[in-house]
Amino acid sequence: MGGSKAGSLLLVSLLGAAAVQAQETGWIEGRVVREGGDAVAGVTVFVEGAESQAPTTGPAGTFQLGPLPAGTRTVVFSLGAESERREVEVEPGRTTDITEVVSWQTSFADSLTVYSASRRQERIVEAPAAVTTVSRETMAEVAPTGQIPRLFEGAGVELTQSGLYDFKLNVRGLNQSVNRRLAVLVDGRDPSFPLLGAQEWASLAFSADDIESAELVSGPSSALYGANAFNGVVNLITKRPRDSQGGLVRLTGGELATAKGDFRLAGQVSERSWYKILGGYTKSEDFYRSRNEGVEYSVPCAALQTADCLYLEPAPLPLDEDRIGYLSARYDRDLGLGRSLVVEGGDANVEGYVLTSAGSRFQITALDRPWARFDLSAPRWNVLASYTGRDAEAFTLSSGTDSYTDEYRINAEVQGRWALADGRGRVVAGASAGQEHIDSADPRGVQTLLPEPTGADLYALFGQVDWELSARTKLVFALRFDDTTLHDPQLSPRLALVHSLGSRHTLRFTYGQGFQRPNYPEYFIRVPLAPALDLAPFEAICALGQVSCGFDRPVPILAVGNEDLDVETIRSAEVGYTGVLADRVLLTVDAYFTDVDDFVLQFVPLVGTELGRANPNFPEYMPPSELDPALSAALLAALQQGLGPLYPFLSTEDGLPLFAFNTPVNYGEARSFGLDLGVDAELAPGWRGTLHYSYFDFDPQQELAAAPFSANRPDNLVSAGLHWARDRFSASADWRWVESFRWVESINVGDVPSYDVVNLAALWDVTDEWSVGVNVSNLFDDVHYESFSGDLLTRAAGSPT
């Protein structure tokens, strides 16, 4: 009783002290903009006497300072060689909102900032990882297409397209048809679908020009972002309603019978609250074609041919066009004293697009993707909660059957930020908890992909410490602990040393680890590979002993999951340089070495390889224990003689016989070396040029003869772009060249010939309210495919208004 009373008194005292401090202190927040209203990023803002608080403005030009003692304070704004000072009155218990208008002539590279490398805003030359950013011009050019992965098309990434909306975005090799080695976040929410852990780009409920910042961190990022940030992370931050007020309507028409409409409406509800509503609808044809009578390239696979051929599909595509609709709403509330609340949610409905996987193609015939997000933020902490759902019906083209999934992911995360030793050190730390659930039952309640509903609980602790060893050198250490009911706990460290060669030049030395967890089908799937076999004659032997062996029903031939799978792991060492040359050129160079272990190989034969019986969960078939030993021996002899080469694949599950024909396994080790070079330059007033080159060498150290693996990317990638903007007109031309390479993924094995693609975009602001433009992908109609078994791609042109 006494302890409870003392605790209550302590709590009251703490709350009282906090209230007194709030009454004696205040906050300053605002934006830094140019005279035309454009935000200025990269500005360091601090109050004289409180230099340890020195935030860097991000893409929206925003900053927050506090708590500060009440009274008149001098705020300093600095960027490169430019600086300004301003007297601001701090009122107790209140937030003073200011807008600083500057007329600085600074390099574009000086104002490039990133958030994703450290989970806090910092200049790109100070980041402890290789980070690529996307310009506002690129966002505006990509917006009419609805193809958000194209934001990074000119950045030297592995952008593999199969259909109009079926993209695989990756960096640093080990690409897959269902790629999940590059984590993607939208305002902190993971939009991937839980079943596969991959992105479903067609269902993202916003347009590219509603993005405030788009960043790509290359290299293992699990230390801050957890599972599947194996090769890096894409972080997309959308615009706040207060920074995008007004209305927008865009209508786009073009090739592939495309008709597309998008709208945005944002405004102010009250002095401290804002709203935003987004919506859109697209109807178009696609690049996919039915393969029930022939294939678009290569040759149809014959009985003994399993490589350099495409498998015929027994059923045609049920739909011949894509339909995509989305609607979302957001409410922002300024709570004062540097705090804010965001509540938003939406839904996307998709049908028609084709998803290519390692073993088949699936056409989405009905897809509903509801989502919601809650974010409560303060200057030193924030709480984020999100929900991502998926209710889908898909048609499996390899079997002509329907599959169903009803799945969701909920997640909550709290994160804090602190400064140490008068700003010499900075700490970011947090924890998260989540849950995933998948049910593959059809309308009759019969499971179509998994033997039963499944899911997982997920927990994590993470943190990063930045410490200035000297005026020119800082040490960055990050560590994350992930625990889940699916696999063993994982510890993911990252260590970086960032050394400044001057205010615009840094060298970076990094070591990091990451992991990719198996997806739910790899753990649990039960998929028919061929019609079930009638083995009823063998049941007669069991009947003699008055025991049922289960042969009185057709015995399925299945691909089965492996519940004993481990995660794939990667270790990477990297040296990088980021610098600004002659005020006009941003140069980045990164060289890296990686070592990957425990590849998850799909469709490995259950028997017949050097692994022996690959999946111990499906042992050699044994008759029921209650069957007489003599009858058991007779049954086994009859099965072995009657089934011949199929006999070793016979097993049991839940007392019933089945053929476990193939299964995923962990096997293999590979090393790689890569080099990335990026140049982003202001060539002249209004002119900007980009050049990116990527080299990759992949060296398997151990692989399974029955299931070899590949990096599924070429040795060399090159992209270049030229962008021009003047007054009311802007235009760009981008070129991407991909060297030929071998695609090896399960049953999809074949060469991808070299190809190059030229894209063109132009936009003319006719008035302050009206614009017209054109966007052409694959300008010269270079007919090609980018993954073996993917669709043939042709030109796609559209004209937005």
Side-chain angles (χ1 to χ4, degrees):
M1 187 76 174
S4 175
K5 183 177 181 180
S8 299
L9 290 173
L10 177 60
L11 179 60
V12 171
S13 300
L14 291 173
L15 292 174
V20 170
Q21 183 188 35
Q23 293 175 357
E24 296 175 347
T25 60
W27 293 79
I28 301 173
E29 67 179 23
R31 298 180 71 208
V32 182
V33 300
R34 302 191 190 277
E35 293 178 354
D38 292 336
V40 183
V43 180
T44 301
V45 186
F46 64 90
V47 171
E48 288 187 346
E51 283 80 2
S52 62
Q53 294 185 38
T56 300
T57 60
T62 58
F63 65 89
Q64 288 181 332
L65 296 167
L68 299 166
T72 302
R73 302 297 166 201
T74 301
V75 182
V76 180
F77 304 86
S78 101
L79 176 62
E82 304 281 2
S83 67
E84 288 188 5
R85 301 156 64 89
R86 176 173 177 173
E87 301 297 318
V88 178
E89 189 68 25
V90 177
E91 300 181 33
R94 294 179 61 86
T95 299
T96 302
D97 198 340
I98 64 174
T99 299
E100 182 70 8
V101 181
V102 299
S103 56
W104 299 337
Q105 300 298 316
T106 58
S107 163
F108 82 98
D110 283 328
S111 60
L112 286 178
T113 63
V114 295
Y115 172 86
S116 311
S118 301
R119 285 198 176 214
R120 66 175 180 83
Q121 211 70 43
E122 58 191 340
R123 294 175 63 214
I124 194 170
V125 295
E126 299 169 349
V131 187
T132 301
T133 63
V134 177
S135 69
R136 294 288 180 86
E137 293 80 9
T138 300
M139 295 177 191
E141 293 162 1
V142 169
T145 70
Q147 300 166 315
I148 288 179
R150 285 186 55 194
L151 288 172
F152 300 96
E153 188 170 12
V157 301
E158 300 147 28
L159 184 64
T160 304
Q161 184 178 4
S162 180
L164 198 59
Y165 300 102
D166 185 13
F167 287 91
K168 292 84 181 170
L169 179 60
N170 191 44
V171 291
R172 302 192 174 182
L174 303 175
N175 203 1
Q176 290 179 307
S177 293
V178 180
N179 187 66
R180 60 186 192 280
R181 285 190 168 90
L182 193 67
V184 175
L185 297 175
V186 178
D187 294 322
R189 179 179 66 90
D190 180 0
S192 66
F193 62 103
L195 178 71
L196 298 178
Q199 303 308 316
E200 208 159 26
W201 296 104
S203 66
L204 289 187
F206 58 89
S207 179
D209 58 359
D210 192 56
I211 297 174
E212 184 65 53
S213 69
E215 300 174 3
L216 166 62
V217 180
S218 298
S221 300
S222 293
L224 286 180
Y225 296 100
N228 299 358
F230 190 88
N231 285 338
V233 61
V234 169
N235 194 27
L236 305 176
I237 304 296
T238 60
K239 293 178 180 177
R240 302 188 307 175
R242 65 193 299 181
D243 300 329
S244 57
Q245 296 186 60
L248 177 146
V249 175
R250 180 191 301 108
L251 301 176
T252 304
E255 293 184 312
L256 296 175
T258 298
K260 178 177 171 60
D262 300 280
F263 78 89
R264 179 181 70 227
L265 182 63
Q268 196 162 5
V269 178
S270 65
E271 182 183 359
R272 290 183 172 271
S273 58
W274 296 262
Y275 74 93
K276 181 173 67 175
I277 301 173
L278 301 175
Y281 181 78
T282 301
K283 177 182 176 182
S284 71
E285 297 174 356
D286 209 320
F287 299 120
Y288 49 69
R289 297 291 180 269
S290 291
R291 293 178 182 167
N292 60 313
E293 296 180 350
V295 297
E296 308 98 295
Y297 56 91
S298 189
V299 296
C301 292
L304 299 178
Q305 184 180 8
T306 58
D308 298 297
C309 61
L310 292 176
Y311 285 86
L312 287 174
E313 297 165 343
L317 291 155
L319 301 176
D320 58 4
E321 64 180 10
D322 300 334
R323 295 175 183 264
I324 303 171
Y326 69 91
L327 182 67
S328 68
R330 171 171 170 167
Y331 173 79
D332 286 19
R333 175 73 178 177
D334 183 351
L335 302 176
L337 301 179
R339 299 167 298 172
S340 64
L341 171 68
V342 176
V343 179
E344 67 175 330
D347 196 5
N349 290 275
V350 182
E351 64 178 49
Y353 97 94
V354 171
L355 173 67
T356 304
S357 73
S360 180
R361 296 193 304 167
F362 300 82
Q363 184 168 48
I364 304 299
T365 52
L367 173 64
D368 183 37
R369 294 296 310 268
W371 63 275
R373 182 175 75 96
F374 169 91
D375 192 348
L376 179 63
S377 296
R380 291 193 175 92
W381 55 266
N382 74 280
V383 177
L384 173 69
S386 64
Y387 163 83
T388 300
R390 185 176 189 267
D391 188 0
E393 179 180 346
F395 185 74
T396 306
L397 294 166
S398 63
S399 63
T401 59
D402 290 317
S403 63
Y404 298 80
T405 55
D406 183 5
E407 50 192 302
Y408 67 81
R409 175 191 296 112
I410 55 175
N411 191 72
E413 177 181 286
V414 59
Q415 176 181 299
R417 300 169 290 275
W418 303 273
L420 304 174
D422 294 327
R424 187 179 179 184
R426 295 176 183 272
V427 177
V428 174
S432 68
Q435 185 182 72
E436 295 177 340
H437 178 80
I438 299 101
D439 186 354
S440 68
D442 65 13
R444 299 170 299 164
V446 178
Q447 294 291 328
T448 57
L449 291 174
L450 305 172
E452 60 185 6
T454 188
D457 297 326
L458 308 108
Y459 308 95
L461 297 171
F462 62 87
Q464 176 169 299
V465 178
D466 292 42
W467 189 263
E468 293 181 0
L469 301 177
S470 68
R472 288 179 172 266
T473 306
K474 72 173 180 178
L475 181 69
V476 181
F477 177 69
L479 184 67
R480 181 176 174 116
F481 173 78
D482 282 275
D483 194 15
T484 174
T485 53
L486 281 175
H487 55 71
D488 292 337
Q490 298 295 309
L491 203 61
S492 305
R494 183 179 71 179
L495 183 67
L497 190 68
V498 182
H499 179 69
S500 173
L501 304 175
S503 62
R504 295 179 170 183
H505 306 272
T506 55
L507 282 176
R508 184 180 63 253
F509 305 90
T510 306
Y511 172 80
Q513 295 183 14
F515 71 98
Q516 175 184 253
R517 76 182 199 195
N519 59 34
Y520 287 94
E522 289 169 339
Y523 277 124
F524 307 116
I525 201 167
R526 304 289 186 270
V527 172
L529 296 176
L533 291 182
D534 181 6
L535 302 183
F538 298 103
E539 185 69 17
I541 299 176
C542 302
L544 294 175
Q546 298 183 340
V547 173
S548 173
C549 294
F551 292 113
D552 53 344
R553 66 177 187 100
V555 178
I557 301 176
L558 304 176
V560 297
N562 186 348
E563 297 183 31
D564 293 333
L565 289 175
D566 294 324
V567 302
E568 296 181 22
T569 59
I570 184 172
R571 296 175 295 278
S572 177
E574 177 180 340
V575 57
Y577 163 82
T578 303
V580 180
L581 309 178
D583 290 333
R584 292 180 176 274
V585 179
L586 177 68
L587 174 65
T588 59
V589 182
D590 296 281
Y592 56 90
F593 301 85
T594 64
D595 191 352
V596 182
D597 284 321
D598 291 326
F599 284 94
V600 175
L601 305 179
Q602 301 184 22
F603 295 98
V604 173
L606 181 68
V607 296
T609 71
E610 54 264 48
L611 295 176
R613 202 163 189 90
N615 188 339
N617 297 301
F618 293 89
E620 184 177 347
Y621 175 78
M622 293 297 295
S625 58
E626 57 269 28
L627 188 64
D628 181 82
L631 291 176
S632 293
L635 176 63
L636 290 174
L639 287 169
Q640 189 167 6
Q641 182 178 2
L643 297 177
L646 283 180
Y647 175 75
F649 297 93
L650 186 63
S651 184
T652 56
E653 185 176 45
D654 298 329
L656 296 174
L658 59 82
F659 291 97
F661 199 77
N662 51 40
T663 183
V665 297
N666 289 111
Y667 193 84
E669 178 186 3
R671 295 172 184 167
S672 62
F673 165 76
L675 177 67
D676 294 329
L677 169 68
V679 178
D680 195 341
E682 283 185 333
L683 304 176
W687 289 89
R688 188 168 173 179
T690 59
L691 174 67
H692 289 271
Y693 168 73
S694 176
Y695 170 77
F696 188 78
D697 180 59
F698 186 69
D699 184 15
Q701 303 293 299
Q702 178 193 35
E703 58 183 336
L704 194 65
F709 48 85
S710 168
N712 288 336
R713 64 150 285 173
D715 293 344
N716 297 283
L717 293 169
V718 181
S719 62
L722 187 62
H723 305 260
W724 177 68
R726 193 77 172 189
D727 298 327
R728 293 181 177 273
F729 190 80
S730 63
S732 69
D734 295 280
W735 169 74
R736 180 166 60 101
W737 174 76
V738 178
E739 189 179 30
S740 62
F741 64 99
R742 185 77 166 167
W743 185 277
V744 179
E745 184 185 20
S746 185
I747 63 173
N748 299 324
V749 180
D751 293 328
V752 177
S754 175
Y755 61 90
D756 64 329
V757 175
V758 175
N759 301 325
L760 180 68
L763 185 66
W764 177 34
D765 295 327
V766 181
T767 68
D768 291 339
E769 289 80 27
W770 290 92
S771 302
V772 296
V774 63
N775 187 292
V776 184
S777 174
N778 195 0
L779 176 65
F780 299 112
D781 201 18
D782 176 20
V783 180
H784 66 285
Y785 54 92
E786 299 183 359
S787 65
F788 196 80
S789 83
D791 300 325
L792 277 178
L793 307 180
T794 59
R795 185 181 58 222
S799 179
T801 301

